[in-house]
Amino acid sequence: MYQLHYVIFMEKELDLQPIIDYVSKDWQLGPIHGIEHWKRVERNGLLLATDDVNIKVVRLFAYLHDHKRLSDGWDLEHGRRASENLDNIRQILLSELTDDEFVMLKRACMEHTIIHRTGIPTIDACFDADRMDLPRVGYMPDPVRMASELGVAFAKHGVVKEDCTISFEALEKAKNELLSTKMRDNGIK
Ligand SMILES: [Fe+2]
Ligand SMILES: [Fe+2]
């Protein structure tokens, strides 16, 4: 039987509280790019996680990708600043990451403002987790602008509602449609 495997468990061993304390400590801006947004990005990342996604990297991305924003407006360089700052906390807060995980986290933060899609499942899941929170600023996720196939399906089916909550009915439809497409593509009836 052909199956899509979705990650349905939380990675309990990852303690995010020190990271949350770190990014919240000097946060001057409001909720648009603050903790409420970061928590929803983490939630979205968990919904987007498949077997080929490193969920630890996605969860860390959720809390670190916007923390070097200087304003809630146009600030295209905030991804680069966030990425570069990771070097400063590598040995303190991110010491449990492997070098590969650290490189992926750096790249996801660096490119989330400037790249549509990388083809690397973990990084694309980071991008889409962030894009799925666009309703908070009045835009619904656009399938054309999503990076992963699951992100495209979620956007197409309206998995995130206007109030940023999740439609679990739409979630099931999106997953089922993607599963059917994959089975058809693989010649499985
Ligand atoms: Fe950002
Ligand atoms: Fe963001």
Side-chain angles (χ1 to χ4, degrees):
M1 170 75 180
Y2 188 85
Q3 285 186 314
L4 267 181
H5 297 285
Y6 294 98
V7 175
I8 54 168
F9 56 87
M10 295 283 286
E11 199 175 26
K12 292 200 173 54
E13 69 269 23
L14 180 61
D15 180 12
L16 285 167
Q17 198 54 51
I19 297 283
I20 292 171
D21 292 345
Y22 170 74
V23 291
S24 302
K25 188 166 42 87
D26 298 318
W27 185 250
Q28 303 283 332
L29 306 178
I32 289 179
H33 295 99
I35 187 70
E36 291 88 351
H37 168 57
W38 303 333
K39 283 182 177 172
R40 286 192 299 269
V41 174
E42 183 192 16
R43 174 204 65 188
N44 297 340
L46 290 166
L47 295 175
L48 287 159
T50 53
D51 276 353
D52 50 5
V53 167
N54 183 317
I55 192 61
K56 192 194 292 182
V57 170
V58 177
R59 294 180 72 200
L60 287 167
F61 168 87
Y63 292 96
L64 289 163
H65 72 286
D66 277 340
H67 82 293
K68 286 295 172 187
R69 265 192 169 271
L70 299 177
S71 80
D72 280 324
W74 190 252
D75 181 6
L76 212 52
E77 291 290 304
H78 74 274
R80 179 185 56 75
R81 286 195 299 274
S83 179
E84 288 174 358
N85 186 61
L86 296 183
D87 293 323
N88 298 327
I89 59 172
R90 170 70 169 120
Q91 303 304 330
I92 310 160
L93 294 169
L94 302 172
S95 59
E96 288 180 23
L97 290 186
T98 65
D99 286 345
D100 283 351
E101 288 170 335
F102 184 68
V103 167
M104 273 198 291
L105 180 60
K106 272 186 74 80
R107 184 169 169 192
C109 288
M110 170 80 80
E111 296 183 353
H112 85 276
T113 50
I114 52 175
I115 300 278
H116 168 205
R117 182 176 185 274
T118 64
I120 299 168
T122 297
I123 296 177
D124 288 345
C126 291
F127 292 175
D128 284 354
D130 191 27
R131 289 164 193 167
M132 281 174 67
D133 203 37
L134 278 173
R136 79 193 190 286
V137 288
Y139 298 99
M140 296 309 284
D142 181 348
V144 175
R145 294 172 187 268
M146 301 305 273
S148 66
E149 56 183 7
L150 205 47
V152 171
F154 285 180
K156 216 167 98 183
H157 286 271
V159 167
V160 179
K161 297 190 270 190
E162 284 182 6
D163 62 359
C164 294
T165 60
I166 298 296
S167 164
F168 289 96
E169 195 185 335
L171 185 73
E172 279 315 300
K173 278 186 188 160
K175 286 182 174 183
N176 287 338
E177 185 186 275
L178 190 56
L179 182 59
S180 302
T181 304
K182 281 184 170 294
M183 288 173 72
R184 198 173 53 241
D185 290 350
N186 284 278
I188 302 167
K189 291 182 181 159

